[in-house]
Amino acid sequence: MSNPNLSVNIAGVDFKNPIITASGCYGFGREYNLLYDINILGGISTKGLTYEMRQGNDGVRVAETNMGMLNCVGLQNPGADGFIRDEMPFLESLNTVVIANCAGKTEEEYVKLLEKIETTKVHMIELNISCPNVKTGMAFGVLPSEVERMTKLAKKATTKPLMIKLTPNVANIIDNAKAAEQGGADAISLINTLLGLSINLKTRRPILGNNFGGLSGPAVKPIALRMVAQVFKNVKIPIIGMGGIQSYQDVLEFMIAGARAVQIGTANFYDPFICKTIVNELTTYLKNSNIKDINEIVGTLQYN
Amino acid sequence: MKKNIEFEVEYVKLLNAEVFELKLSSKEKLPEIGAGQFLMLDTPDKSQILKRPFVIYKWDEKSVTLGIALVGKGTKELFQLKKGDKLSAFLPLGNGWSHALKPHHKKIALVGSGIGGVAIRPILQECPDKEYHAFWGFKSKDCIMFEKEFKKSNLKISTVDGSAGFKGYVNEMFDEALNSGFKPDVILVCGSHVTCQKIKEAAIKHDIECYMSGEERMACGIGACLVCVCKVDVNGKEQNLRVCFDGPVFDIRKVTL
């Protein structure tokens, strides 16, 4: 059998396969490129960027939980100028899709950042209105009305395809996804981390310096998968699914639930070669299952 | 070259009541390891997803030995490993001591407390021909480790309760030496936060180069996740650098402790 098609198109951007690395879990790709050729990836979503450089949060930034981890890095990043000067030349040299994950404290900051990124060769924007670790990051992503407003604001500030990253820490994920679509989003990615807490029994204090942090890893997969399936039924724009993916089977589940592509985050930490493994195993699976085009399986979930 | 290696447990051996040695051997030849580099080790309990960072205490072409303090659930499980048990590790990681040690460093002070010796001992394996002066602090006589390792390094021991060697903290013993004219070309430190703080003060006061091996909770171990940062002065500006990638060895005079 000829090689199956793994390429997917999202908002006019061609990805050679649906495997994208998740923001905050892959830096700007350099560290992993020392381990394997990261051009095998469908895409990279950069570490969350802000207009000004940020040092992130003080104190302990990680706490392990059963089948997961909490983090409160707090968007440590080089800022727009640092990104363009120090990271873009490397990212431009790659043959994979580059998605700039863009965050901010104020509306003005989002707009200024997007205008800067507009001048780069980044292929796509992922609007981060859902980071739980900065004081106001999540506020923009919680109320559907705010999601719609921020999407419109971003849409005006960029001509690049715009993807909105949703937080799961909301009343009804469907309303937020619809709000993003209504605001003019070209795609949706979900889920960001779930807000969590871990306590040190000796000190009776939170382990994390920032008290609460974002939960990620295999523990969150069923929630993420359910949300992807719900959103798929209710919006027309493409979905990039993520949350606890660590195998090609997980990728298939997300795609069956309705994701056109997926992002892989925390699994990179405990298996630095995981994305390479998944790309290879996914290809083998499609061949062995006689699936000619991976797009065939997207949204094929049949409810009981 | 960083590699994921499948290891088999050779032995688990207590060094004192709270610290054990874990020797792991591999069938394949290990990548080249430098003194002060570390590895990320799988945990036996698969519900704990993250690998654990441990400095490589001893090594040869096909084995590594780690010195591990019994502090929590994970280290207890590692202590219960039996000969022949399998687990993988990703190595070698971090910058190691080589970037700190320069040819003009002939007389070297090795200073620290407790289990910190596991990060310092590798220097003796990598650079055996220097003049070493080791100053090591423990809580009490029962806790003393590394006597054999530092035997040829003019080892001086302190205990907090005075049950062996100098009575008091290692920095007090070290201060005494500096005040009586001891002047090393460089000080290499690994120990508790307080030990590092005090030795930093001494290094600045006596104008001696000084490097430390730091420790932080880690997730990826390769510089991507930014959870293990510490504050370091970079060209006059305090920045959050990655202990796993920019360190673990830093110029202590530039680290905010």
Side-chain angles (χ1 to χ4, degrees), chain A residues 115-134:
Chain A
E115 286 169 355
K116 277 267 182 184
I117 301 298
E118 186 71 6
T119 65
T120 69
K121 288 185 178 159
V122 159
H123 302 98
M124 196 173 195
I125 304 291
E126 179 171 54
L127 199 69
N128 183 352
I129 49 169
S130 50
C131 178
N133 295 323
V134 288

Side-chain angles (χ1 to χ4, degrees), chain A:
Chain A
M1 184 188 160
S2 60
N3 280 339
N5 173 46
L6 266 85
S7 69
V8 297
N9 182 291
I10 293 166
V13 180
D14 283 318
F15 295 76
K16 68 180 79 157
N17 62 56
I19 307 303
I20 303 164
T21 57
S23 177
C25 302
Y26 210 74
F28 300 97
R30 288 177 193 275
E31 293 79 14
Y32 289 91
N33 200 43
L34 298 172
L35 306 181
Y36 63 91
D37 178 8
I38 63 173
N39 288 307
I40 58 134
L41 296 169
I44 295 173
S45 180
T46 67
K47 172 69 194 164
L49 301 167
T50 50
Y51 181 72
E52 303 284 355
M53 107 180 245
R54 277 178 63 99
Q55 289 289 347
N57 291 323
D58 284 341
V60 174
R61 290 180 170 188
V62 65
E64 194 175 40
T65 60
N66 285 339
M67 296 314 287
M69 60 174 271
L70 293 167
N71 90 83
C72 61
V73 171
L75 291 175
Q76 178 175 335
N77 82 92
D81 288 335
F83 169 69
I84 291 169
R85 184 186 63 234
D86 301 331
E87 306 299 341
M88 257 333 272
F90 170 72
L91 290 168
E92 270 182 46
S93 75
L94 299 174
N95 175 27
T96 187
V97 172
V98 177
I99 304 170
N101 183 286
C102 297
K105 271 192 291 192
T106 62
E107 291 165 33
E108 293 73 36
E109 204 190 342
Y110 275 99
V111 171
K112 270 159 65 183
L113 173 63
L114 289 172
E115 286 169 355
K116 277 267 182 184
I117 301 298
E118 186 71 6
T119 65
T120 69
K121 288 185 178 159
V122 159
H123 302 98
M124 196 173 195
I125 304 291
E126 179 171 54
L127 199 69
N128 183 352
I129 49 169
S130 50
C131 178
N133 295 323
V134 288
K135 287 282 177 301
T136 52
M138 192 134 72
F140 289 123
V142 175
L143 293 174
S145 56
E146 285 293 287
V147 173
E148 184 175 341
R149 199 171 60 83
M150 289 304 290
T151 308
K152 282 181 176 158
L153 189 87
K155 197 67 195 163
K156 270 191 212 146
T158 184
T159 61
K160 294 182 189 291
L162 176 68
M163 175 158 74
I164 309 294
K165 187 168 182 179
L166 300 179
T167 168
N169 305 304
V170 296
N172 185 342
I173 194 73
I174 297 167
D175 293 342
N176 291 47
K178 281 181 174 168
E181 185 173 49
Q182 192 67 33
D186 300 297
I188 289 170
S189 58
L190 76 164
I191 60 174
N192 204 319
T193 55
L194 289 130
L195 199 60
L197 168 66
S198 196
I199 295 173
N200 178 330
L201 287 184
K202 277 188 199 146
T203 60
R204 297 198 185 177
R205 283 172 174 275
I207 290 174
L208 294 178
N210 209 35
N211 297 323
F212 298 164
L215 177 66
S216 64
V220 312
K221 194 192 106 184
I223 300 169
L225 199 56
R226 181 263 296 175
M227 289 189 167
V228 166
Q230 285 181 316
V231 168
F232 179 73
K233 274 183 85 173
N234 288 279
V235 301
K236 292 187 181 66
I237 52 178
I239 298 164
I240 294 184
M242 79 196 84
I245 294 174
Q246 58 172 356
S247 66
Y248 78 90
Q249 292 97 330
D250 292 339
V251 174
L252 291 166
E253 281 189 62
F254 271 85
M255 294 188 79
I256 290 166
R260 188 81 58 89
V262 298
Q263 291 185 8
I264 296 172
T266 305
N268 289 296
F269 299 158
Y270 52 91
D271 179 357
F273 299 97
I274 191 74
C275 289
K276 186 182 179 184
T277 305
I278 287 179
V279 168
N280 290 338
E281 291 184 356
L282 194 61
T283 310
T284 307
Y285 170 83
L286 294 180
K287 273 187 200 165
N288 293 345
S289 312
N290 211 14
I291 298 170
K292 292 187 187 65
D293 183 348
I294 197 157
N295 291 282
E296 284 171 24
I297 68 163
V298 176
T300 53
L301 178 65
Q302 299 278 327
Y303 283 93
N304 298 322

Side-chain angles (χ1 to χ4, degrees), chain A residues 27 31-32 34-35 47 55 58 60-62 64-69 73 76 207 218 269-270 272-273, chain B residues 1-2 46-52 90 217 219-220 222-227 229 231 238-240 242:
Chain A
E31 293 79 14
Y32 289 91
L34 298 172
L35 306 181
K47 172 69 194 164
Q55 289 289 347
D58 284 341
V60 174
R61 290 180 170 188
V62 65
E64 194 175 40
T65 60
N66 285 339
M67 296 314 287
M69 60 174 271
V73 171
Q76 178 175 335
I207 290 174
F269 299 158
Y270 52 91
F273 299 97
Chain B
M1 186 67 191
K2 301 178 179 90
K46 295 298 168 207
S47 76
Q48 305 295 301
I49 57 172
L50 299 176
K51 292 182 191 310
R52 302 295 196 268
F90 190 56
R217 286 166 183 254
C220 74
I222 62 168
C225 72
L226 310 181
V227 304
V229 297
K231 293 195 186 303
E238 192 179 71
Q239 294 200 7
N240 282 329
R242 302 159 292 184

Side-chain angles (χ1 to χ4, degrees), chain B residues 136-139 156-177:
Chain B
W136 224 261
F138 298 97
K139 273 187 287 188
K156 290 180 183 65
I157 283 176
S158 67
T159 53
V160 181
D161 64 4
S163 51
F166 177 94
K167 183 176 191 305
Y169 292 99
V170 65
N171 57 286
E172 295 168 342
M173 173 170 66
F174 189 57
D175 272 342
E176 223 178 69

